[in-house]
Amino acid sequence: MEAMHPRASATDVTLLQWPEEDELRARLEAEGQPRLLLVHPTARPPTVWTTLEDWIRRPAEPTDLHARIATLRALSRRNAPLHLDDDDAIVRRGNAWVALPAVELAVLRPLLARQDRVVSRGLLLAAARDEPGDYTTQMLDSTIQRLRKRLQPLGVTLHAVRGCGYLLELKETAT
């Protein structure tokens, strides 16, 4: 079976001849791309892999191959990173997306840059004030509430850390 190298979306699974294409495997791993290793009949399978990688010995039964690809696609969607698309004013995670107004995008940027760490209210307020118009702390609170609701379907949670700020957490999403 020939190796295929699809690159259309984050949920495409790349099939690799292993160990022949180990260099490509390392590159795809660094990019967070899901991959299925087609292990040579006499080669030892890899001893380390992630939720975005699986292996099957060659030659593989088509039904087994398709089942492993489907599992990798599902895992890839559930664990996909969050991407901000400023040009289109949307946030993407896997195949899902949410449109955001400019001020919500402005507040989300520092949260995303410091994912899993607390971002001070002052920093978020400064980011929001970069947008036209006056902006108050009460407006920041309302913006955070709206962001919470909009980002929830993407598996994003915004936690308030009393007296400090907010923390953005990515949860595993449903398939």
Short mmCIF file of all heavy atoms in Angstrom, two decimals, residues 88-127:
data_model
loop_
_atom_site.label_atom_id
_atom_site.label_comp_id
_atom_site.label_asym_id
_atom_site.label_seq_id
_atom_site.Cartn_x
_atom_site.Cartn_y
_atom_site.Cartn_z
N ASP A 88 -11.03 36.59 9.24
CA ASP A 88 -12.46 36.29 9.17
C ASP A 88 -13.19 36.54 10.49
O ASP A 88 -14.39 36.31 10.57
CB ASP A 88 -12.69 34.83 8.74
CG ASP A 88 -12.19 34.56 7.33
OD1 ASP A 88 -12.27 35.50 6.50
OD2 ASP A 88 -11.75 33.44 7.06
N ALA A 89 -12.47 36.97 11.52
CA ALA A 89 -13.03 37.23 12.86
C ALA A 89 -13.73 35.99 13.41
O ALA A 89 -14.82 36.07 13.96
CB ALA A 89 -13.98 38.43 12.83
N ILE A 90 -13.05 34.84 13.28
CA ILE A 90 -13.60 33.61 13.83
C ILE A 90 -12.55 32.84 14.61
O ILE A 90 -11.35 33.06 14.45
CB ILE A 90 -14.21 32.70 12.74
CG1 ILE A 90 -13.16 32.30 11.71
CG2 ILE A 90 -15.40 33.35 12.07
CD1 ILE A 90 -13.66 31.29 10.69
N VAL A 91 -13.05 31.96 15.47
CA VAL A 91 -12.20 31.06 16.24
C VAL A 91 -12.54 29.65 15.77
O VAL A 91 -13.70 29.30 15.65
CB VAL A 91 -12.48 31.18 17.75
CG1 VAL A 91 -11.61 30.24 18.54
CG2 VAL A 91 -12.27 32.60 18.21
N ARG A 92 -11.50 28.86 15.47
CA ARG A 92 -11.70 27.50 14.98
C ARG A 92 -11.10 26.49 15.95
O ARG A 92 -10.07 26.75 16.56
CB ARG A 92 -10.99 27.30 13.63
CG ARG A 92 -11.50 28.13 12.52
CD ARG A 92 -10.72 27.84 11.23
NE ARG A 92 -11.02 28.79 10.21
CZ ARG A 92 -12.05 28.69 9.37
NH1 ARG A 92 -12.86 27.67 9.46
NH2 ARG A 92 -12.27 29.61 8.46
N ARG A 93 -11.80 25.37 16.02
CA ARG A 93 -11.26 24.21 16.73
C ARG A 93 -11.73 22.98 15.99
O ARG A 93 -12.91 22.68 15.97
CB ARG A 93 -11.71 24.18 18.18
CG ARG A 93 -11.01 23.06 18.94
CD ARG A 93 -11.16 23.19 20.41
NE ARG A 93 -10.33 22.22 21.08
CZ ARG A 93 -10.60 21.69 22.25
NH1 ARG A 93 -11.68 22.09 22.90
NH2 ARG A 93 -9.80 20.80 22.78
N GLY A 94 -10.79 22.30 15.37
CA GLY A 94 -11.16 21.18 14.52
C GLY A 94 -12.02 21.69 13.38
O GLY A 94 -11.67 22.64 12.70
N ASN A 95 -13.17 21.07 13.19
CA ASN A 95 -14.09 21.48 12.13
C ASN A 95 -15.10 22.51 12.60
O ASN A 95 -15.90 23.00 11.80
CB ASN A 95 -14.84 20.26 11.57
CG ASN A 95 -13.91 19.32 10.85
OD1 ASN A 95 -12.92 19.73 10.27
ND2 ASN A 95 -14.21 18.04 10.89
N ALA A 96 -15.13 22.81 13.87
CA ALA A 96 -16.11 23.76 14.42
C ALA A 96 -15.52 25.18 14.44
O ALA A 96 -14.30 25.36 14.52
CB ALA A 96 -16.50 23.35 15.83
N TRP A 97 -16.41 26.17 14.37
CA TRP A 97 -15.96 27.56 14.41
C TRP A 97 -17.04 28.43 15.02
O TRP A 97 -18.22 28.06 15.05
CB TRP A 97 -15.57 28.07 13.03
CG TRP A 97 -16.69 28.03 12.03
CD1 TRP A 97 -17.03 26.99 11.23
CD2 TRP A 97 -17.63 29.08 11.76
NE1 TRP A 97 -18.12 27.31 10.47
CE2 TRP A 97 -18.51 28.59 10.78
CE3 TRP A 97 -17.81 30.36 12.25
CZ2 TRP A 97 -19.56 29.35 10.26
CZ3 TRP A 97 -18.85 31.12 11.74
CH2 TRP A 97 -19.71 30.62 10.76
N VAL A 98 -16.60 29.60 15.53
CA VAL A 98 -17.50 30.58 16.13
C VAL A 98 -17.05 31.96 15.67
O VAL A 98 -15.85 32.27 15.72
CB VAL A 98 -17.46 30.51 17.67
CG1 VAL A 98 -18.30 31.60 18.29
CG2 VAL A 98 -17.91 29.15 18.17
N ALA A 99 -17.99 32.78 15.22
CA ALA A 99 -17.68 34.17 14.84
C ALA A 99 -17.69 35.03 16.10
O ALA A 99 -18.51 34.84 16.99
CB ALA A 99 -18.72 34.68 13.85
N LEU A 100 -16.75 35.98 16.17
CA LEU A 100 -16.65 36.86 17.33
C LEU A 100 -16.57 38.32 16.90
O LEU A 100 -15.87 38.64 15.94
CB LEU A 100 -15.40 36.53 18.16
CG LEU A 100 -15.33 35.17 18.83
CD1 LEU A 100 -13.99 35.02 19.54
CD2 LEU A 100 -16.48 34.97 19.80
N PRO A 101 -17.21 39.21 17.67
CA PRO A 101 -17.04 40.66 17.42
C PRO A 101 -15.60 41.07 17.77
O PRO A 101 -14.89 40.37 18.50
CB PRO A 101 -18.03 41.31 18.39
CG PRO A 101 -18.91 40.22 18.88
CD PRO A 101 -18.18 38.92 18.70
N ALA A 102 -15.20 42.22 17.28
CA ALA A 102 -13.81 42.69 17.43
C ALA A 102 -13.36 42.75 18.89
O ALA A 102 -12.25 42.34 19.22
CB ALA A 102 -13.65 44.05 16.77
N VAL A 103 -14.19 43.26 19.78
CA VAL A 103 -13.77 43.41 21.18
C VAL A 103 -13.59 42.04 21.83
O VAL A 103 -12.67 41.86 22.64
CB VAL A 103 -14.75 44.31 21.98
CG1 VAL A 103 -16.07 43.62 22.24
CG2 VAL A 103 -14.10 44.77 23.29
N GLU A 104 -14.41 41.05 21.47
CA GLU A 104 -14.24 39.71 22.03
C GLU A 104 -12.96 39.06 21.49
O GLU A 104 -12.26 38.38 22.23
CB GLU A 104 -15.47 38.85 21.75
CG GLU A 104 -16.67 39.31 22.55
CD GLU A 104 -17.93 38.53 22.26
OE1 GLU A 104 -17.85 37.35 21.85
OE2 GLU A 104 -19.02 39.11 22.45
N LEU A 105 -12.67 39.30 20.22
CA LEU A 105 -11.39 38.82 19.67
C LEU A 105 -10.21 39.45 20.41
O LEU A 105 -9.23 38.77 20.73
CB LEU A 105 -11.29 39.14 18.19
CG LEU A 105 -11.99 38.21 17.21
CD1 LEU A 105 -11.98 38.80 15.81
CD2 LEU A 105 -11.35 36.84 17.21
N ALA A 106 -10.32 40.75 20.68
CA ALA A 106 -9.24 41.46 21.37
C ALA A 106 -9.00 40.89 22.76
O ALA A 106 -7.86 40.74 23.20
CB ALA A 106 -9.57 42.95 21.44
N VAL A 107 -10.08 40.55 23.47
CA VAL A 107 -9.95 39.99 24.82
C VAL A 107 -9.45 38.55 24.75
O VAL A 107 -8.69 38.11 25.62
CB VAL A 107 -11.31 40.08 25.56
CG1 VAL A 107 -11.29 39.29 26.85
CG2 VAL A 107 -11.65 41.55 25.84
N LEU A 108 -9.84 37.82 23.72
CA LEU A 108 -9.43 36.42 23.60
C LEU A 108 -7.94 36.27 23.28
O LEU A 108 -7.32 35.31 23.74
CB LEU A 108 -10.27 35.72 22.51
CG LEU A 108 -10.00 34.24 22.29
CD1 LEU A 108 -10.24 33.44 23.57
CD2 LEU A 108 -10.86 33.72 21.16
N ARG A 109 -7.37 37.20 22.54
CA ARG A 109 -5.95 37.08 22.14
C ARG A 109 -5.01 36.84 23.32
O ARG A 109 -4.23 35.88 23.29
CB ARG A 109 -5.52 38.30 21.33
CG ARG A 109 -5.91 38.23 19.90
CD ARG A 109 -5.33 39.40 19.08
NE ARG A 109 -6.14 39.60 17.91
CZ ARG A 109 -7.08 40.53 17.79
NH1 ARG A 109 -7.29 41.39 18.75
NH2 ARG A 109 -7.80 40.61 16.69
N PRO A 110 -5.02 37.69 24.36
CA PRO A 110 -4.09 37.42 25.47
C PRO A 110 -4.42 36.14 26.24
O PRO A 110 -3.53 35.47 26.76
CB PRO A 110 -4.21 38.65 26.37
CG PRO A 110 -5.41 39.39 25.91
CD PRO A 110 -5.71 38.96 24.52
N LEU A 111 -5.71 35.77 26.29
CA LEU A 111 -6.09 34.52 26.95
C LEU A 111 -5.53 33.32 26.20
O LEU A 111 -5.01 32.38 26.80
CB LEU A 111 -7.61 34.41 27.05
CG LEU A 111 -8.28 35.34 28.06
CD1 LEU A 111 -9.77 35.44 27.79
CD2 LEU A 111 -8.01 34.87 29.48
N LEU A 112 -5.60 33.38 24.89
CA LEU A 112 -5.08 32.29 24.06
C LEU A 112 -3.56 32.23 24.10
O LEU A 112 -2.97 31.15 24.15
CB LEU A 112 -5.58 32.45 22.62
CG LEU A 112 -5.34 31.28 21.68
CD1 LEU A 112 -5.91 29.99 22.24
CD2 LEU A 112 -5.95 31.57 20.32
N ALA A 113 -2.93 33.39 24.12
CA ALA A 113 -1.46 33.45 24.17
C ALA A 113 -0.92 32.87 25.49
O ALA A 113 0.19 32.36 25.53
CB ALA A 113 -0.98 34.89 24.00
N ARG A 114 -1.72 32.97 26.54
CA ARG A 114 -1.29 32.47 27.85
C ARG A 114 -2.21 31.33 28.31
O ARG A 114 -2.57 31.24 29.48
CB ARG A 114 -1.30 33.59 28.87
CG ARG A 114 -0.28 34.69 28.58
CD ARG A 114 -0.32 35.78 29.62
NE ARG A 114 -0.23 35.30 30.98
CZ ARG A 114 0.90 35.18 31.66
NH1 ARG A 114 2.03 35.53 31.12
NH2 ARG A 114 0.89 34.75 32.91
N GLN A 115 -2.59 30.48 27.38
CA GLN A 115 -3.49 29.37 27.67
C GLN A 115 -3.02 28.57 28.88
O GLN A 115 -1.84 28.30 29.03
CB GLN A 115 -3.55 28.47 26.45
CG GLN A 115 -4.51 27.33 26.56
CD GLN A 115 -4.55 26.54 25.28
OE1 GLN A 115 -4.55 27.10 24.19
NE2 GLN A 115 -4.57 25.24 25.40
N ASP A 116 -3.95 28.21 29.74
CA ASP A 116 -3.70 27.47 30.98
C ASP A 116 -2.91 28.27 32.01
O ASP A 116 -2.38 27.70 32.97
CB ASP A 116 -3.01 26.12 30.71
CG ASP A 116 -3.92 25.16 29.98
OD1 ASP A 116 -5.13 25.15 30.27
OD2 ASP A 116 -3.43 24.41 29.12
N ARG A 117 -2.83 29.59 31.82
CA ARG A 117 -2.23 30.47 32.81
C ARG A 117 -3.18 31.65 33.04
O ARG A 117 -3.95 32.02 32.16
CB ARG A 117 -0.87 31.00 32.35
CG ARG A 117 0.16 29.88 32.25
CD ARG A 117 1.50 30.40 31.83
NE ARG A 117 1.43 30.73 30.39
CZ ARG A 117 2.33 31.45 29.76
NH1 ARG A 117 3.36 31.94 30.39
NH2 ARG A 117 2.19 31.70 28.48
N VAL A 118 -3.10 32.24 34.20
CA VAL A 118 -3.99 33.35 34.54
C VAL A 118 -3.54 34.61 33.82
O VAL A 118 -2.35 34.95 33.79
CB VAL A 118 -4.00 33.59 36.07
CG1 VAL A 118 -4.85 34.80 36.43
CG2 VAL A 118 -4.51 32.35 36.80
N VAL A 119 -4.52 35.31 33.23
CA VAL A 119 -4.28 36.60 32.57
C VAL A 119 -4.98 37.65 33.41
O VAL A 119 -6.17 37.51 33.72
CB VAL A 119 -4.83 36.60 31.12
CG1 VAL A 119 -4.61 37.95 30.46
CG2 VAL A 119 -4.19 35.48 30.31
N SER A 120 -4.25 38.68 33.77
CA SER A 120 -4.81 39.70 34.66
C SER A 120 -5.96 40.46 34.00
O SER A 120 -5.99 40.63 32.78
CB SER A 120 -3.72 40.68 35.09
OG SER A 120 -3.37 41.52 34.02
N ARG A 121 -6.87 40.93 34.84
CA ARG A 121 -7.97 41.75 34.35
C ARG A 121 -7.43 43.02 33.69
O ARG A 121 -7.96 43.48 32.70
CB ARG A 121 -8.91 42.13 35.50
CG ARG A 121 -9.75 40.96 35.98
CD ARG A 121 -10.60 41.33 37.19
NE ARG A 121 -11.49 42.45 36.96
CZ ARG A 121 -12.67 42.36 36.35
NH1 ARG A 121 -13.11 41.20 35.92
NH2 ARG A 121 -13.42 43.43 36.18
N GLY A 122 -6.34 43.55 34.24
CA GLY A 122 -5.73 44.75 33.67
C GLY A 122 -5.26 44.53 32.24
O GLY A 122 -5.46 45.39 31.37
N LEU A 123 -4.63 43.40 31.99
CA LEU A 123 -4.15 43.08 30.64
C LEU A 123 -5.33 42.90 29.69
O LEU A 123 -5.31 43.38 28.55
CB LEU A 123 -3.28 41.83 30.66
CG LEU A 123 -2.63 41.44 29.34
CD1 LEU A 123 -1.69 42.52 28.84
CD2 LEU A 123 -1.88 40.13 29.49
N LEU A 124 -6.39 42.24 30.15
CA LEU A 124 -7.58 42.04 29.31
C LEU A 124 -8.28 43.37 29.05
O LEU A 124 -8.75 43.62 27.93
CB LEU A 124 -8.54 41.06 29.98
CG LEU A 124 -8.00 39.64 30.14
CD1 LEU A 124 -8.99 38.78 30.93
CD2 LEU A 124 -7.69 39.02 28.79
N LEU A 125 -8.33 44.22 30.05
CA LEU A 125 -8.94 45.53 29.89
C LEU A 125 -8.14 46.37 28.89
O LEU A 125 -8.71 47.04 28.02
CB LEU A 125 -9.02 46.23 31.24
CG LEU A 125 -9.94 47.42 31.37
CD1 LEU A 125 -11.35 47.10 30.93
CD2 LEU A 125 -9.96 47.91 32.81
N ALA A 126 -6.82 46.30 28.98
CA ALA A 126 -5.96 47.03 28.03
C ALA A 126 -6.17 46.52 26.60
O ALA A 126 -6.23 47.30 25.65
CB ALA A 126 -4.49 46.89 28.43
N ALA A 127 -6.31 45.21 26.46
CA ALA A 127 -6.55 44.64 25.12
C ALA A 127 -7.88 45.12 24.57
O ALA A 127 -7.99 45.47 23.39
CB ALA A 127 -6.53 43.11 25.20
#
